[in-house]
C-alpha cells in the first residue's frame, strides 16, 4: 500500500511538473512572438531613418560607411525572416512549430537552441529516463504538451503492467527532476528574450523623438547648425546600434 501511495504521489508530481513546463513554454512562445514583431517594426524604422539620412547632401564620409553597415544588418535580418516564412509554410507537426518558435526568438542561434532543447528534453524523458519496464501507465498517458505528446506516442496499452510500484515512482521522480531542469532553462531563455525586447524598444524610443527634432532641417549638411549636426550624428549612431541589436541572439 505504501508503495502504491508513493507511486501515485510521484506520478501526480510528474503531472504538475509537466503542466508547469507547458505554462513556461507558452510564456516563452509569447515572448518570442513579441520580440519578433518588435524587431520587424524596428527594421521598418531603421529603413525610414536611413532614407531620411540619404536625402541629405554633403554629409561626412563616415555617414556612408555607417549606412553600409546598417544595410548589411537589415539584409541579414530580412533574409532570415524569408527563410522562416518559407519554413512556416511547411509546418506539419508540433516539433516544427517549436523549431519555428526558436527561429522567431532571435535571427541567429535560437533555431538550434530552442528546438534542440525541446528535442533533447523530450527524447531524454521518453527514451532514456523512461526505461522499457516503466513505460506503463494510464497515468503517464494522461500527460499532455510537448513532453506528454511524445511520451504518449511511445506507450502501448497493457504494456509493463506488472512493473513494481516503487520502481515506477522512482522513475517518475527522475523524470520530474529532468522536466524541472528543462523548465528552468526555458525560464532563463525567457528572461534573456525579454531583455532583448526591452533593448529594442528603448532604442526605438530614443530614435523617434530625435527624428522629430530633425525632420525639417535643411537637406544640405553644410547648412546645418552645430546642434543639428550633433543630433544628426546621435541619430545615425542610434540607428546603427539598433541595426546591430536586431541580429543579436539570447547568448
Amino acid at each position: 500500500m505504501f508503495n502504491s501511495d508513493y507511486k501515485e504521489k510521484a506520478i501526480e508530481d510528474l503531472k504538475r511538473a509537466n503542466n508547469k513546463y507547458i505554462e513556461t513554454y507558452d510564456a516563452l512562445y509569447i515572448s518570442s512572438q513579441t520580440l519578433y514583431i518588435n524587431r520587424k517594426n524596428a527594421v521598418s524604422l531603421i529603413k525610414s531613418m536611413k532614407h531620411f539620412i540619404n536625402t541629405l547632401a554633403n554629409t561626412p564620409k563616415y555617414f556612408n560607411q555607417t549606412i553600409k553597415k546598417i544595410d548589411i544588418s537589415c539584409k541579414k535580418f530580412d533574409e532570415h525572416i524569408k527563410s522562416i516564412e518559407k519554413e512556416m509554410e511547411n509546418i506539419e507537426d508540433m516539433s516544427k512549430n517549436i523549431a519555428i518558435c526558436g527561429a522567431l526568438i532571435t535571427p541567429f542561434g535560437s533555431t538550434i537552441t530552442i528546438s534542440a532543447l525541446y528535442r533533447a528534453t523530450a527524447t531524454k524523458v521518453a527514451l532514456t529516463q523512461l526505461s522499457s519496464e516503466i513505460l506503463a501507465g494510464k497515468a503517464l498517458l494522461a500527460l499532455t504538451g510537448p513532453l506528454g505528446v511524445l511520451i504518449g506516442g511511445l506507450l502501448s496499452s497493457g504494456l509493463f503492467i506488472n512493473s513494481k510500484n516503487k520502481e515506477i515512482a522512482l522513475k517518475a521522480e527522475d523524470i520530474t527532476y529532468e522536466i524541472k531542469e528543462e523548465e528552468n532553462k526555458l525560464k532563463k531563455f525567457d528572461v534573456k528574450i525579454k531583455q532583448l525586447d526591452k533593448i529594442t524598444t528603448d532604442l526605438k524610443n530614443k530614435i523617434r523623438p530625435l527624428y522629430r527634432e530633425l525632420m525639417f532641417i535643411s537637406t544640405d549638411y553644410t547648412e546645418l547648425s552645430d546642434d543639428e549636426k550633433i543630433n544628426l550624428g546621435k541619430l545615425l549612431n542610434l540607428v546603427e546600434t539598433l541595426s546591430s541589436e536586431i541580429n543579436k541572439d539570447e547568448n
Side-chain angles (χ1 to χ4, degrees), residues 49-218:
M49 295 302 97
K50 188 188 73 171
H51 175 74
F52 165 69
I53 293 169
N54 281 336
T55 62
L56 304 177
N58 301 314
T59 54
K61 288 184 178 180
Y62 80 87
F63 270 49
N64 289 333
Q65 294 169 349
T66 304
I67 291 295
K68 287 180 181 178
K69 292 179 183 178
I70 293 170
D71 282 338
I72 291 171
S73 294
C74 288
K75 184 179 180 182
K76 196 175 184 181
F77 184 86
D78 288 340
E79 287 176 351
H80 188 70
I81 295 303
K82 287 179 182 178
S83 69
I84 291 172
E85 291 172 347
K86 184 176 181 181
E87 188 172 353
M88 287 179 73
E89 293 175 0
N90 299 319
I91 293 176
E92 294 175 355
D93 54 43
M94 183 180 61
S95 63
K96 286 185 179 180
N97 272 287
I98 290 171
I100 290 295
C101 173
L104 295 183
I105 290 171
T106 55
F108 301 96
S110 294
T111 303
I112 295 173
T113 305
I114 298 298
S115 61
L117 175 61
Y118 163 73
R119 288 195 298 270
T121 305
T123 302
K124 181 181 290 185
V125 172
L127 301 179
T128 305
Q129 295 299 323
L130 286 178
S131 60
S132 59
E133 68 272 15
I134 299 304
L135 281 174
K138 294 180 180 178
L140 290 179
L141 281 170
L143 289 174
T144 59
L147 301 174
V149 169
L150 196 149
I151 292 171
L154 296 175
L155 299 177
S156 55
S157 60
L159 202 60
F160 316 120
I161 57 174
N162 294 319
S163 296
K164 293 180 180 180
N165 289 336
K166 184 176 180 180
E167 193 172 2
I168 292 175
L170 290 171
K171 277 296 177 182
E173 287 178 340
D174 288 343
I175 299 166
T176 299
Y177 175 81
E178 293 292 336
I179 292 174
K180 287 181 177 179
E181 286 290 298
E182 298 303 333
E183 185 201 357
N184 286 334
K185 292 179 183 179
L186 294 186
K187 285 181 177 179
K188 290 178 181 178
F189 276 116
D190 195 43
V191 170
K192 291 178 181 179
I193 290 162
K194 285 183 169 69
Q195 289 172 345
L196 291 171
D197 187 60
K198 184 179 185 303
I199 290 170
T200 301
T201 299
D202 288 347
L203 285 168
K204 286 162 59 179
N205 289 340
K206 289 178 181 179
I207 289 171
R208 289 192 179 102
L210 194 54
Y211 169 66
R212 285 194 289 270
E213 291 181 21
L214 296 167
M215 59 190 302
F216 297 117
I217 61 173
S218 170

Side-chain angles (χ1 to χ4, degrees), residues 218-236:
S218 170
T219 57
D220 188 338
Y221 184 85
T222 60
E223 296 177 1
L224 301 181
S225 68
D226 289 342
D227 285 344
E228 288 173 335
K229 289 178 180 178
I230 290 171
N231 285 336
L232 188 61
K234 288 180 180 178
L235 179 66
L236 183 62

